[in-house]
Amino acid sequence: MDRTLRRIDKFAIWLAVAALISIMLLTCVSVTGRYFFNTPIPDDLSISEKLMVFLAFLPLAAVQASREHVFVTIFSDWLPNRAKVVLEIFGIAVGIAFFGLLAWASWIAFIEAYAVGSYTQGPLNVPHAPFKFVLFVGVVLFVVRLVVDFFSDITALISGRSQASKSEEDRVLDIELD
């Protein structure tokens, strides 16, 4: 299961990287066309805006898998490890609830955009539905990763082998010492 999720996470990251490169190339070509030929790429801003969905939502599950989200630990640094783990589990449960609702809402938005056939106003008429589906997939992958982490953290807590995520300060110190 974990191996499959890691492969999916890697694929999602590669899609996000491809979107970033596409945005960069699109912007460079459009600016060059505007400057030298007075003809930018039509709907370049709209396309870049749509591709940002790939960048923002597809890597979420991979970031969660490596526990690299920003943690606010100002009030929990003084707590023992077990209490920190309980707080992390609580945070994951809140994340499951919030992003579960977001997944449901993004699915409904995708279905509506697909049914209506909505698109951007412009020369290319870029459809909304594919990008809303990417948003849905990214959020679902994140929720799946949260659920896996939730159960693995509870199992580790019950067995007594749980370890809280490192604080930002500890991560910085680890980087500086390497």
Side-chain angles (χ1 to χ4, degrees):
M1 172 82 171
D2 195 47
R3 175 183 277 170
T4 304
L5 286 176
R6 280 191 306 236
R7 286 183 180 162
I8 292 171
D9 290 346
K10 279 186 178 182
F11 181 69
I13 288 173
W14 279 108
L15 284 177
V17 167
L20 180 61
I21 292 169
S22 299
I23 291 170
M24 180 190 67
L25 291 174
L26 178 69
T27 303
C28 289
V29 170
S30 186
V31 167
T32 303
R34 181 179 293 124
Y35 185 76
F36 289 113
F37 307 111
N38 201 24
T39 54
I41 294 176
D43 286 343
D44 59 340
L45 294 177
S46 178
I47 295 169
S48 293
E49 174 188 328
K50 299 295 182 196
L51 288 174
M52 289 298 287
V53 172
F54 285 80
L55 292 176
F57 290 97
L58 287 181
L60 282 177
V63 173
Q64 174 63 29
S66 61
R67 302 288 176 123
E68 292 293 326
H69 286 293
V70 175
F71 290 96
V72 179
T73 61
I74 191 167
F75 298 112
S76 62
D77 281 341
W78 53 272
L79 292 173
N81 180 59
R82 189 169 180 83
K84 289 179 188 178
V85 171
V86 168
L87 286 176
E88 285 182 23
I89 291 171
F90 175 73
I92 289 172
V94 169
I96 290 169
F98 176 76
F99 283 98
L101 288 173
L102 186 60
W104 176 68
S106 63
W107 175 254
I108 295 210
F110 162 68
I111 293 297
E112 288 175 357
Y114 182 77
V116 172
S118 66
Y119 56 88
T120 60
Q121 295 294 324
L124 297 181
N125 294 332
V126 179
H128 288 193
F131 302 99
K132 290 185 185 270
F133 184 71
V134 169
L135 178 121
F136 168 72
V137 168
V139 174
V140 166
L141 290 174
F142 185 49
V143 169
V144 167
R145 177 57 75 176
L146 286 173
V147 169
V148 168
D149 287 350
F150 180 79
F151 286 113
S152 68
D153 285 358
I154 286 180
T155 304
L157 182 68
I158 291 170
S159 69
R161 56 179 178 76
S162 61
Q163 183 61 38
S165 298
K166 289 185 178 182
S167 67
E168 296 301 314
E169 181 180 306
D170 291 339
R171 290 180 195 182
V172 169
L173 288 174
D174 287 346
I175 292 171
E176 289 177 357
L177 295 176
D178 287 341

